[in-house]
Amino acid sequence: MTNRNSGLGRGLSSLISSAAVESGTASDNVNELSIALIEPNPLQPRTDIDEEKIAELSASIAKRGVLQPIIVRPKGEKYEIVAGERRWRASRMAGLESIPVHIRTFDDGETFEIALIENLQREDLNAIEAAYGYKNLISERQLTQSELADLLAKSRASITNALRLLDLPEEVQELVYEGSLSAGHARAILTVSDDPTRIKLAQKAIEEGLSVRALESLARLSGGGVIPSASKRPVSPKSYKAAARKLRKFIGGNVRVKQAKGKNKIEIEFNDETDLERIYQLITQDEKPLVRNAE
């Protein structure tokens, strides 16, 4: 790897420190800057902004303030966000007039690297956003896939698999982007060579709620654009898909609305007890601790 990437694989804080030293702006001074002077980064790899989560962060900032300064760079008479766009948006929503910032001098390539790594470390990008982020970073910084893998502390295979998602038809990419299909489903669809069959497989996976394994089996059997029946389960009504999509947006997590063994079900995934409590309070509007309510 060339010297341009030295030390960048250690993470976001290391990247910011290294770039700041090189640009002569390594000071840790925190400035208070008017929100009106700050603009979002057009190179931001995350394009799907969850307004509900921004509102939650805004409520926290209104109570406790901005605990961690955002990072900006001079841009004409204003400043452009390098890292911390969610905090900036939430601060605007909370009615703050100013926000603590670190002012740094980065070029476009460094700015994009930092924005991409920040989102990846927070697992804040969907598979399609990450793939386009990788593609843009490779192009902007003239990196090989191996160099990008080292930069992001990922395996070469994970970078290659992510970039392959961009070979899918736009219709299928959109389904992955919006969360209707997982990256695993998308990789199963990629085993089919022609786009029309890929689109049919994607639609069938959603309509019948196919698992990744079931979709892989179906893809192997798909020849000449003819897709055999994956199961005898009835196709769910379109209203189920619409309800699942709206519930996912409302809850901020994965939701399935389906028919199983003659029964209609709504399944809500959660990460841990804290996430369960968040979902419970969101649905019931009950602010009391969940365990106390259960006792």
Side-chain angles (χ1 to χ4, degrees):
M1 183 180 296
T2 60
N3 290 334
R4 67 178 180 271
N5 297 317
S6 177
L8 298 186
R10 292 194 296 271
L12 178 61
S13 60
S14 174
L15 173 59
I16 292 173
S17 298
S18 299
V21 169
E22 291 172 4
S23 62
T25 58
S27 171
D28 287 330
N29 291 340
V30 176
N31 297 272
E32 195 75 17
L33 201 60
S34 170
I35 285 181
L37 293 177
I38 302 173
E39 297 178 337
N41 176 9
L43 299 175
Q44 167 64 259
R46 174 167 45 85
T47 59
D48 185 16
I49 305 296
D50 190 326
E51 294 297 336
E52 184 177 328
K53 290 184 178 180
I54 295 295
E56 291 176 0
L57 180 58
S58 176
S60 174
I61 287 176
K63 286 184 179 180
R64 302 178 180 87
V66 181
L67 302 182
Q68 181 180 3
I70 70 171
I71 299 171
V72 300
R73 64 171 179 164
K75 197 73 170 179
E77 297 181 353
K78 294 191 175 183
Y79 296 84
E80 184 179 87
I81 297 171
V82 176
E85 183 172 332
R86 291 177 71 255
R87 277 166 279 156
W88 172 73
R89 287 178 179 271
S91 297
R92 283 200 313 172
M93 187 179 293
L96 271 62
E97 295 184 356
S98 63
I99 187 173
V101 303
H102 289 298
I103 301 175
R104 300 285 188 260
T105 303
F106 295 131
D107 62 29
D108 287 348
E110 291 168 333
T111 297
F112 187 83
E113 286 177 15
I114 294 169
L116 177 61
I117 293 173
E118 179 198 29
N119 283 289
L120 288 171
Q121 288 186 345
R122 293 174 50 243
E123 297 184 350
D124 208 32
L125 296 179
N126 63 54
I128 296 299
E129 285 177 319
Y132 275 106
Y134 297 157
K135 180 180 179 181
N136 290 338
L137 195 50
I138 286 173
S139 175
E140 291 287 336
R141 306 296 280 175
Q142 297 183 334
L143 301 172
T144 66
Q145 290 188 19
S146 293
E147 288 174 335
L148 180 61
D150 287 341
L151 171 67
L152 301 178
K154 291 181 174 290
S155 69
R156 163 70 186 275
S158 69
I159 299 296
T160 300
N161 287 335
L163 290 171
R164 287 184 65 229
L165 297 180
L166 302 184
D167 293 334
L168 290 167
E170 288 188 9
E171 296 93 328
V172 180
Q173 288 188 39
E174 181 66 25
L175 294 172
V176 178
Y177 177 85
E178 68 182 23
S180 298
L181 288 176
S182 70
H185 286 95
R187 285 191 289 272
I189 292 170
L190 276 169
T191 62
V192 176
S193 60
D194 64 292
D195 284 352
T197 305
R198 286 173 170 177
I199 294 171
K200 290 179 183 178
L201 281 170
Q203 293 170 340
K204 193 173 187 66
I206 293 173
E207 290 171 355
E208 300 188 10
L210 301 180
S211 67
V212 172
R213 181 170 297 181
L215 187 58
E216 288 172 343
S217 299
L218 198 59
R220 285 194 294 269
L221 297 172
S222 300
V226 178
I227 301 175
S229 176
S231 69
K232 295 182 179 179
R233 289 182 298 170
V235 176
S236 299
K238 291 183 178 179
S239 60
Y240 285 27
K241 177 183 175 182
R245 183 172 61 250
K246 292 181 179 180
L247 284 170
R248 280 196 295 268
K249 185 175 181 180
F250 174 73
I251 289 175
N254 195 22
V255 179
R256 296 185 183 90
V257 180
K258 64 181 185 179
Q259 295 173 323
K261 296 181 180 180
K263 295 182 179 180
N264 299 309
K265 295 183 178 182
I266 297 178
E267 293 182 354
I268 302 174
E269 291 184 8
F270 59 93
N271 297 323
D272 49 31
E273 288 183 309
T274 301
D275 197 30
L276 174 62
E277 181 133 9
R278 177 189 67 80
I279 293 171
Y280 171 80
Q281 292 177 347
L282 188 64
I283 293 174
T284 64
Q285 299 297 308
D286 185 354
E287 297 182 356
K288 297 178 181 178
L290 181 59
V291 173
R292 184 181 301 172
N293 287 336
E295 292 174 349

